Amino acid sequence: MVFWEVLIVLGFVLLIVSGWRLWRAFRQKKPKKPVLLIAVGSLLLMAAGGSQVPVEAAYLKISPQQLETDPSGNCHLEGTTNSEAELFIDGEEISHEGTFTYDIQLVDDGTKELVIKSVFRGEETVKTIEITPSTGYLAHLESQAEKERLKLADTALATAEKEPSQEHFDVAFTQIQALSQSYPELEQRLEDVADYLEIIGSLEELEQEPTREGLVAIQTQVAASPLAKDALTKRVAACEKQVHEQEKNTKLVAAAKEKIKHAETTLANDDYQSALEALTTLPTKQPTLEKRLQNLHHAIEEKQAAEKAQADAEKKAAQEKEAQEKAAEEQRQQEIQAAQEQEQIQQQAQDQQTTQEAAVGQTVMVTPTGSKYHTHKCGNGNFTPATLEEALARNLTPCSKCF
């Protein structure tokens, strides 16, 4: 036992004895001063011994100095320090009684530095332990990462299959490319999405410019595609309707062209009307054919105008000829009539002369107001006899009944 320990023990014993004697002095009512002096002396002895106690040094011991994880990424640390020290591991205060243990779990494949700090009576002791992942743990992390990458790839691929688009395809492609090994099933599914997008591109072109060849090609591709056939089938059906309408329209346009060509050859109004009706029934505008039909209409109008002008000229010429012939005929008739009248005048003159020659001394019957002379009383009237010469002088003419 060292000197300071002896002083402390001796002072402690004297303190107990003085305390016992002080109790007896109180009971027996004896002087207490000597006992109190002994008690104070015992305290001084203990204080003197305590002043000789050496100060405890701060310390921190760690085992082991380097750590490697197990295949699960765990490792175990043990250490000792002053029992009254404050202990911190990675900034976290750890309760202890001089010895301590600490379990660490790595979460990635990187090396971790573990900082351990002990603070005893204001003095800091710091140690840094390096924790490295074991080969088994690295393999475990890679396996877990591959599973996660595989899960992400499958999710992205499922999205691309459900809602095929270039954006979803690119995401799935990137996720599959990030995998550390080949997965034929995923690659085939990705190829199916790529084929689907190619079909979509071809289908959009077909919708812009429907053709029978394009429709047949798309129908073959859709039949072979495992993705979203219902949506594709509806769009293909719409394209098929467009192609059918286009082919029908093509036939109608061809028929309209043929009728316009025929009308352009004949320049007949009936053929023009037939071509106009064919063009009017077309479901789409045909500017070129409409222009040809307008030109045809103008040509027919010009032809009709020319024919009308010719007909009018011919009619006018015929009318003029007819008028001339009529005028000539009238003149001829007038000449004939004039000749007949002349002949009649001559005949009348001759007859009158003959009558006059024959009427000398001949008696006829006349009336005061009549225009005829008679051989006898012919009809009612006041007949009186007169010479034929007198009747002729009155410009009377023979009665058709009497002569």
Side-chain angles (χ1 to χ4, degrees):
M1 184 176 292
V2 294
F3 179 69
W4 61 268
E5 290 178 337
V6 172
L7 291 178
I8 292 174
V9 171
L10 180 59
F12 181 72
V13 171
L14 290 175
L15 182 64
I16 294 174
V17 171
S18 61
W20 178 74
R21 292 186 64 181
L22 183 62
W23 177 74
R24 286 187 61 185
F26 274 107
R27 289 188 62 183
Q28 296 175 5
K29 299 180 179 181
K30 292 181 176 182
K32 303 175 182 63
K33 187 174 181 180
V35 179
L36 290 175
L37 292 174
I38 294 174
V40 172
S42 65
L43 290 175
L44 291 174
L45 285 174
M46 290 179 66
S51 65
Q52 299 299 316
V53 176
V55 178
E56 183 181 5
Y59 69 94
L60 177 61
K61 298 179 180 180
I62 305 296
S63 177
Q65 295 298 315
Q66 290 186 339
L67 294 176
E68 184 178 87
T69 67
D70 62 14
S72 298
N74 297 312
C75 61
H76 183 73
L77 175 70
E78 295 181 354
T80 59
T81 187
N82 305 84
S83 60
E84 298 177 3
E86 294 178 291
L87 182 65
F88 300 89
I89 300 180
D90 264 2
E92 178 186 0
E93 186 173 2
I94 305 298
S95 61
H96 67 97
E97 295 180 356
T99 61
F100 60 90
T101 60
Y102 192 75
D103 293 322
I104 305 100
Q105 168 70 56
L106 289 187
V107 295
D108 54 37
D109 58 356
T111 299
K112 177 177 177 61
E113 288 188 346
L114 192 66
V115 179
I116 305 169
K117 181 173 69 173
S118 175
V119 182
F120 179 67
R121 295 179 180 175
E123 182 179 352
E124 292 186 358
T125 305
V126 180
K127 290 190 177 183
T128 302
I129 305 299
E130 187 179 73
I131 303 173
T132 57
S134 64
T135 303
Y137 182 56
L138 291 176
H140 171 73
L141 288 178
E142 176 58 27
S143 175
Q144 292 296 108
E146 182 70 1
K147 288 181 181 180
E148 186 63 25
R149 289 193 296 268
L150 188 60
K151 181 179 179 182
L152 292 174
D154 185 71
T155 301
L157 191 54
T159 301
E161 290 171 334
K162 184 178 180 181
E163 301 177 6
S165 68
Q166 189 62 48
E167 179 183 357
H168 291 161
F169 172 82
D170 292 341
V171 173
F173 178 82
T174 302
Q175 295 291 351
I176 291 176
Q177 288 294 106
L179 297 173
S180 61
Q181 55 183 302
S182 176
Y183 295 88
E185 181 184 354
L186 294 182
E187 292 170 358
Q188 181 59 51
R189 288 169 62 191
L190 185 66
E191 184 176 347
D192 291 340
V193 175
D195 292 340
Y196 182 91
L197 294 178
E198 183 178 350
I199 294 174
I200 291 296
S202 300
L203 187 56
E204 289 175 350
E205 292 179 2
L206 181 64
E207 289 170 338
Q208 293 295 323
E209 188 176 351
T211 62
R212 175 60 63 179
E213 295 78 7
L215 176 64
V216 172
I218 283 294
Q219 287 174 331
T220 302
Q221 289 176 307
V222 170
S225 175
L227 301 179
K229 283 190 175 182
D230 291 341
L232 289 179
T233 301
K234 291 179 181 179
R235 293 180 64 179
V236 171
C239 287
E240 184 175 11
K241 184 178 180 181
Q242 282 184 294
V243 170
H244 177 72
E245 291 295 328
Q246 186 181 58
E247 290 175 342
K248 179 181 177 182
N249 186 41
T250 300
K251 291 180 180 179
L252 292 175
V253 169
K257 284 182 179 179
E258 189 62 30
K259 289 186 177 182
I260 292 175
K261 181 179 179 181
H262 178 68
E264 288 172 338
T265 302
T266 63
L267 294 179
N269 191 60
D270 290 343
D271 293 335
Y272 166 79
Q273 292 297 330
S274 177
L276 176 61
E277 182 179 354
L279 189 60
T280 305
T281 57
L282 294 179
T284 57
K285 292 288 185 179
Q286 299 292 328
T288 302
L289 295 184
E290 291 175 357
K291 183 64 176 178
R292 286 178 61 184
L293 198 63
Q294 289 177 358
N295 294 336
L296 174 61
H297 181 65
H298 294 326
I300 291 175
E301 286 182 339
E302 291 176 356
K303 178 187 175 185
Q304 290 176 342
E307 290 177 346
K308 185 177 183 301
Q310 183 178 356
D312 291 343
E314 291 176 352
K315 181 178 179 181
K316 182 177 180 181
Q319 289 175 345
E320 289 177 351
K321 182 179 179 181
E322 183 180 357
Q324 291 174 355
E325 290 178 349
K326 183 178 180 181
E329 179 65 20
E330 289 178 351
Q331 185 176 0
R332 190 178 68 82
Q333 292 294 332
Q334 288 176 357
E335 291 175 352
I336 293 173
Q337 184 177 0
Q340 289 178 347
E341 289 178 351
Q342 184 65 30
E343 184 181 354
Q344 184 177 4
I345 292 172
Q346 291 177 355
Q347 184 65 40
Q348 286 179 350
Q350 186 179 359
D351 289 343
Q352 185 175 7
Q353 183 178 1
T354 302
T355 301
Q356 288 177 350
E357 291 176 354
V360 176
Q362 184 177 353
T363 302
V364 292
M365 299 300 291
V366 296
T367 61
T369 58
S371 59
K372 303 292 184 180
Y373 61 89
H374 309 269
T375 59
H376 61 279
K377 291 183 179 180
C378 181
N380 298 323
N382 185 15
F383 290 89
T384 59
T387 65
L388 181 55
E389 187 177 2
E390 291 175 343
L392 291 175
R394 289 174 55 189
N395 292 323
L396 299 179
T397 59
C399 173
S400 60
K401 293 180 180 179
C402 299
F403 294 94

